[in-house]
Amino acid sequence: MTAGMFTYVWSLVCWYFRPLVKWFLHQTTQMCELQRICYGQPSGAPRTFAVKECLGRSRNSNIRTLVAYLNDVADRRGITTRTERKILEDAIRTVLVTKKINPTAHPDFPKSFGKCVELIWGYRQLCVECEDLRKTSYNSDNPEHERRLLKLWDLLMPYEPLDARVTKQWQEIGFQGDDPKTDFRGMGMLGLENLVYFAQEYPSTATHVLSHSHHPRYGYAFAIVGINLTSMALRLLRDGSAQTHVYNSSKTLPTIRAFHQFYCYLFYEFDGFWIESRPSNIMEFSSIQEKFEKSIRTALTNPSTVFRINVAVDNI
């Protein structure tokens, strides 16, 4: 029997015997699987992953309906500050009734389970929000788009005013030509918003990284690299790899800020990774970025991983 066939057979065995195992554990612990997870798993990613898997495998019609409803709400970006409380309360009530959990006897369960629901479907909604921004093309006729672009220049180059809207000066912060709008084709407004957030929230770090991009030997195009890292961050978000970080770092509903923070960490760390790699020329960018992404993915396989920017100014 091949390894693939063995895995398939084992998954079938687990599927058929899972209800029996759950029944046995319920009889011996007097708690349902969700309770055992919420009481037994550490908060953050370990607990949230386990709750997500449990809900996704449930055969109970009420739970399946709940999951479908939450998926739909998140896909419509319907979880807002106005609606979130009711959505969470309804989800908690459904589980309490379906699983016959007495909230008086188990006062910690609703809060623990509700937090997992907030993270799971907040993350799903975040994916939708980021994709919507990516699909929003930069439009030079849109005053708000233009204002955001000019703000990026002012944040990074506060002592050097632009000579004109279209000028070679844009290349000083790493755009390819005289008009940056063409560089946002792939990532749309998401790429610009990431760059602005980095420069606005971490001004000294961003200008420090920008100075590295001007290094005589290891220089690179700051803005273009930033847009490439937006693509990488979005890739990690879409395929679920970033869940570990987001689940561990989010104290409330994950919003676009969570993605921006993740992006800032990647940009800061990639800059150091690039310099340490000592590339012979910019043609090594793809291979170095691939190695960097692999290292990030490896780190994210650890359920306790959470990324935070540790700013350390160097003399490179």
Side-chain angles (χ1 to χ4, degrees), residues 17-18 21-22 38 48 58 69 71 104 134 149 163 168 175 205-206 215 259 316:
F17 282 95
R18 183 168 178 266
V21 173
K22 287 178 65 179
C38 288
T48 308
S58 179
Y69 164 72
N71 285 344
T104 303
R134 185 199 66 81
L149 179 61
D163 295 334
K168 291 187 180 299
F175 287 102
T205 304
H215 191 278
F259 183 75
I316 295 178

Side-chain angles (χ1 to χ4, degrees), residues 16-44:
Y16 283 112
F17 282 95
R18 183 168 178 266
L20 179 62
V21 173
K22 287 178 65 179
W23 176 85
F24 175 76
L25 291 173
H26 188 272
Q27 295 300 311
T28 55
T29 65
Q30 296 300 304
M31 292 189 294
C32 70
E33 185 177 7
L34 285 172
Q35 286 175 287
R36 295 194 298 273
I37 290 170
C38 288
Y39 295 151
Q41 292 283 357
S43 62

Side-chain angles (χ1 to χ4, degrees), residues 96-108:
L96 291 177
V97 172
T98 301
K99 298 298 182 180
K100 298 180 174 61
I101 301 171
N102 184 342
T104 303
H106 299 278
D108 294 332

Side-chain angles (χ1 to χ4, degrees), residues 164-208:
R165 165 60 182 81
V166 178
T167 169
K168 291 187 180 299
Q169 285 175 284
W170 289 111
Q171 295 175 37
E172 295 178 33
I173 60 172
F175 287 102
Q176 293 184 102
D178 298 352
D179 192 345
K181 70 178 183 180
T182 58
D183 293 326
F184 293 115
R185 285 176 184 156
M187 288 294 109
M189 286 301 293
L190 184 63
L192 176 57
E193 290 298 337
N194 272 167
L195 286 167
V196 170
Y197 186 94
F198 184 38
Q200 182 171 272
E201 297 300 316
Y202 299 96
S204 60
T205 304
T207 53
H208 184 64

Side-chain angles (χ1 to χ4, degrees), residues 32 34 55 58 60-70 85-103 109-110 113-114 117 121:
C32 70
L34 285 172
L55 292 173
S58 179
N60 183 282
S61 59
N62 290 339
I63 299 298
R64 293 172 73 87
T65 299
L66 172 64
V67 169
Y69 164 72
L70 291 171
R85 181 174 178 178
K86 185 178 186 306
I87 290 170
L88 292 180
E89 288 177 348
D90 289 347
I92 293 168
R93 188 181 306 111
T94 297
V95 169
L96 291 177
V97 172
T98 301
K99 298 298 182 180
K100 298 180 174 61
I101 301 171
N102 184 342
F109 175 77
F113 175 71
V117 171
W121 279 278

Side-chain angles (χ1 to χ4, degrees), residues 198-251:
F198 184 38
Q200 182 171 272
E201 297 300 316
Y202 299 96
S204 60
T205 304
T207 53
H208 184 64
V209 171
L210 178 62
S211 71
H212 276 185
S213 74
H214 294 149
H215 191 278
R217 286 189 61 188
Y218 308 128
Y220 55 84
F222 177 91
I224 296 301
V225 167
I227 294 170
N228 270 276
L229 290 172
T230 293
S231 179
M232 174 183 161
L234 187 59
R235 200 158 50 241
L236 293 168
L237 191 77
R238 284 171 175 164
D239 66 23
S241 299
Q243 287 177 110
T244 304
H245 164 73
V246 174
Y247 290 165
N248 285 330
S249 63
S250 299
K251 303 302 180 186

